[in-house]
Amino acid sequence: MSDDALADDVWRAMAAVVFDNRDTWKRDVIERSGLPFSRIRVLRRLAGRPMTAKEVAESATMDAPAATVAVNDLEERGLVVREVNPANRRCKVISLTDAGRDVVAAIDGVEDPAPAAFDALDVADLRALRDLLAKLGAH
């Protein structure tokens, strides 16, 4: 097996563990916020920094029309604001309002415990996995 094929297999296995164990958290976040998950994805991306609509679409893995609909909805709810981009006055920058930051804080407060599958790992395995993920996150 080539290194690329091995990396692809590991990636698929890691994604499967996350996707197969994320439903409870996702439902709890939707319930706590009262927002569709597509809006939550946008808010969480904007929590990092203000963005243009194009950047929102790219970071939330949405097409441009879907991102515009999401931002319009969040703006109507008072969770984001569009302002002229000081670096390029032809476009707008979208940022969180105080209410938007409050929603993100509520979302971040939803418990997200490790799934039962992690019980198969001992402390050394968990530390190794944490270190590997930190290494991946640094790229």
Side-chain angles (χ1 to χ4, degrees), residues 37-43 45-46 51-76 80-82 92-95:
F37 201 75
S38 61
R39 306 314 188 255
I40 293 165
R41 282 193 353 248
V42 170
L43 287 176
R45 295 330 185 269
L46 289 170
M51 297 181 187
T52 65
K54 181 179 178 180
E55 291 171 326
V56 168
E58 289 172 0
S59 71
T61 61
M62 307 170 124
D63 60 25
T68 298
V69 168
V71 169
N72 288 345
D73 180 41
L74 293 168
E75 188 174 37
E76 288 172 13
V80 301
V81 63
R82 287 180 173 105
K92 304 235 178 185
V93 174
I94 303 148
S95 58

Side-chain angles (χ1 to χ4, degrees), residues 110-124:
V110 173
E111 286 191 31
D112 191 15
F118 275 59
D119 293 345
L121 303 176
D122 62 24
V123 172

Side-chain angles (χ1 to χ4, degrees), residues 10-55:
V10 170
W11 172 249
R12 280 190 291 278
M14 187 171 66
V17 169
V18 172
F19 289 134
D20 292 348
N21 292 284
R22 208 62 176 166
D23 290 338
T24 300
W25 173 83
K26 197 172 178 180
R27 277 193 300 274
D28 291 347
V29 165
I30 290 167
E31 185 178 312
R32 172 139 336 152
S33 69
L35 296 170
F37 201 75
S38 61
R39 306 314 188 255
I40 293 165
R41 282 193 353 248
V42 170
L43 287 176
R44 290 183 62 125
R45 295 330 185 269
L46 289 170
R49 65 179 176 87
M51 297 181 187
T52 65
K54 181 179 178 180
E55 291 171 326

